[in-house]
Structure formats: structure tokens, C-alpha cells
Amino acid sequence: MARENLNDLMAFVAVARERSFTRAAAQLGVSQSALSHSMKGLEARLGLRLLTRTTRSVSPTEAGERLLRTVTPKVEEIHAALAALTEMREKPAGTVRITAGEHAAESILMPALERLLPDYPDIQVEVISDNGLTNIVSERYDAGVRLSEQVEKDMVAVCIGPEMRMAVVGAPDYLADRKKPLTPQDLTEHRCINLRLPTRGGLYAWEFEKAGRAINVRVEGQTVFNSTALILKAALGGLGLAYLAEDKAAPYIAEGRLVRVLANWCAPFPGYHLYYPSRRQPTPAFALLVDVLRYRG
């Protein structure tokens, strides 16, 4: 096979997967015009249209889908072989892509990266903050971070954090002229700050447990956010009660800027786990990151 065909095939896989010339060009480190020229050249040599292009999207044709299914495993084998060569270097190198929720990214991943990366300048880590249940295989992540109960059974799961608790909190001004809730059912009398779930678009039901009795409560209020950072800000601003990770709320509780309620209904639960496919062959860089993240408490 001519060298230009191999290069163009690898470029085609990137465009077909990303469904975007812009994202594929950024991934490959080339210009969009050069990438478009490569695709046109490949189509001309094959005598087939591989991509359907519109002003807003790019998608494979039937021939393109067939080529993608055939070529993708070979391209992945090439990438894996190149990654394996890093074992011959003095220090691990390469890129590790991880998807994680914003709380896990801030509280678990960032402290680990601050410890690891200064000593390994050839390792690059890409963390995509996403509160949805991302499919790490189809989205081509090396690993993801979820709570243990959300990890699929066929994945390798590594505990990377301690047990967690949630906290229901509100600003002193908000609670000043209101009766504090004593049970989860009392939340119906309060304005609560809701979290919009990214996967299905619904609102998150607040989860409580006491003496083995579990209760999920769908709360109501004037505000809905898809970011815990904004939920925290809204609670500090007196817009209602918020349901947050305990460590996120603790500094503000200590300062008196937030008041905690229903603490006896917020039981501890297993914390975050890093997960990845069991068939995956870890690169030295990935194995090193897993070891740094592993919770030993």
C-alpha cells in the first residue's frame, strides 16, 4: 500500500469517529484544509465517496462505514504497538484520557496529577469533566471515574478514594425564618436547588438512608443547574437548600456561611473508582497513573 494511502486511512478514521473535520484536525495536529485535501485524495483513489459533508456535520457513507469497521481495529493495533514502545524509554511517556465528574476531577484527579506530572514530563493527561455516564470504549477514553455502584460489571475497577457522605445545606439567611427539616419528607416545605442529569435530562432525586431505611426524594425549587459549582454558589446566595458532597460543603459550614441539616439521614457510601476495560493492555504511563491514584487508606 502506498504511504499516502496509509496516512489518509488513519486520517479518515479520525474524521469518521469524531464526525468533525475541526476535532479530527485538532486530534491529528494538522490543518482542516490539509485534512480535507487528504480525504478528497483518498476518495478519488478509491473511486468512492466515503464521507457525507454538510455545513454542520460529517458522517460516513455506507462505503465509509464498511471501511471504518475494517480499518479501525488495524489502526488501534498500530497505536497499541507504538504505545508499547514506551516501555523501552527511561521514563513512561504518552497520553492518558480520562472522563470524570467535576467533583471527582477536583477532589481526586487533580491532587494526584500534581504529585505525578512534575516527575514525568513526557506523560500527558487529558481530563474531560462530564457528569454523564460516558461510554469510555466508544468515546475512546483510557479510563473513567464513577462511584462504585455505577461501574459496569465487565470493567476493572480500582478504588481511588475514601467513603463519601452527602450534606444538605442552606445559607443562614435562608433558614432564618424557616423551620429546619427533620426528615427528608420535610424538604417539600423548602425551596431546593436541583441538579439536571446529563444522561437522561431528568432531575436528580436526593438520596437518604437511616437505620437501613433508604429514601429518595424529588425536591422542588426555583433553580436548576447542571453544575455542582453553581449549586454551591446558589446555596451560598440564599436561593435554597442544596445537596452536595460533604467535603465540598465542609469549609463553608466551618465558616458559618452554610448550615447543615438532615446530617443523620446522610449515611456514608463507597467512594470513587477508576475503571477501564478488562481486555485493555495498560501502557506504562497508564499503569503509573493508576498506582498513584489507588486509595490505600
Side-chain angles (χ1 to χ4, degrees):
M1 177 183 288
R3 184 173 62 185
E4 62 268 21
N5 282 347
L6 179 58
N7 291 338
D8 291 348
L9 281 172
M10 296 182 75
F12 163 73
V13 170
V15 174
R17 279 176 156 180
E18 294 293 338
R19 300 295 201 269
S20 165
F21 276 91
T22 302
R23 291 194 295 271
Q27 181 187 119
L28 296 170
V30 300
S31 67
Q32 292 184 50
S33 60
L35 192 55
S36 179
H37 180 74
S38 295
M39 291 302 93
K40 289 178 181 178
L42 179 61
E43 290 176 327
R45 290 193 297 277
L46 294 175
L48 290 168
R49 180 173 290 278
L50 301 175
L51 297 168
T52 298
R53 306 165 177 82
T54 68
T55 55
R56 293 187 177 183
S57 66
V58 179
S59 60
T61 63
E62 183 178 352
E65 288 283 5
R66 181 174 177 179
L67 181 62
L68 183 65
R69 289 194 298 270
T70 303
V71 172
T72 297
K74 305 300 181 184
V75 171
E76 290 179 346
E77 286 180 15
I78 293 172
H79 287 313
L82 292 174
L85 290 178
T86 60
E87 295 181 8
M88 301 177 65
R89 300 173 60 113
E90 291 183 2
K91 288 189 175 182
T95 299
V96 179
R97 299 184 73 239
I98 301 176
T99 175
E102 58 181 319
H103 178 255
E106 291 176 3
S107 63
I108 303 292
L109 294 183
M110 282 304 300
L113 296 181
E114 289 170 2
R115 297 194 303 271
L116 172 68
L117 295 185
D119 294 330
Y120 295 91
D122 293 327
I123 294 178
Q124 294 82 43
V125 179
E126 179 179 350
V127 177
I128 303 301
S129 181
D130 180 3
N131 291 321
L133 300 180
T134 303
N135 186 319
I136 62 171
V137 175
S138 63
E139 297 297 323
R140 296 179 294 111
Y141 286 101
D142 293 292
V145 177
R146 292 183 189 169
L147 295 173
S148 63
E149 63 187 27
Q150 298 172 327
V151 176
E152 297 173 9
K153 300 299 183 183
D154 60 343
M155 295 284 173
V156 176
V158 179
C159 180
I160 60 173
E163 284 191 332
M164 295 175 56
R165 290 184 72 196
M166 301 301 290
V168 180
V169 292
D173 289 347
Y174 170 80
L175 290 167
D177 55 355
R178 292 176 173 85
K179 185 179 178 181
K180 292 181 181 179
L182 300 179
T183 69
Q185 292 85 346
D186 293 340
L187 292 171
T188 58
E189 302 174 10
H190 285 265
R191 292 202 308 267
C192 297
I193 304 164
N194 264 305
L195 171 68
R196 177 73 67 185
L197 295 172
T199 44
R200 297 182 181 177
L203 299 180
Y204 176 69
W206 294 10
E207 301 176 59
F208 299 97
E209 183 179 339
K210 183 179 180 182
R213 179 190 176 196
I215 299 176
N216 290 354
V217 179
R218 297 197 175 276
V219 298
E220 297 183 358
Q222 294 178 285
T223 52
V224 179
F225 300 98
N226 68 346
S227 162
T228 55
L230 292 176
I231 290 175
L232 172 60
K233 192 167 185 178
L236 290 168
L239 296 183
L241 296 179
Y243 186 78
L244 297 165
E246 184 180 56
D247 66 306
K248 195 79 172 176
Y252 303 96
I253 296 172
E255 294 171 1
R257 297 178 63 189
L258 290 175
V259 176
R260 185 171 188 175
V261 297
L262 297 176
N264 59 341
W265 279 93
C266 295
F269 54 90
Y272 290 116
H273 283 63
L274 183 83
Y275 66 99
Y276 55 93
S278 57
R279 63 183 180 276
R280 186 185 188 280
Q281 181 63 39
T283 64
F286 181 75
L288 183 62
L289 180 59
V290 172
D291 186 62
V292 171
L293 284 168
R294 192 184 302 273
Y295 180 65
R296 296 177 172 86

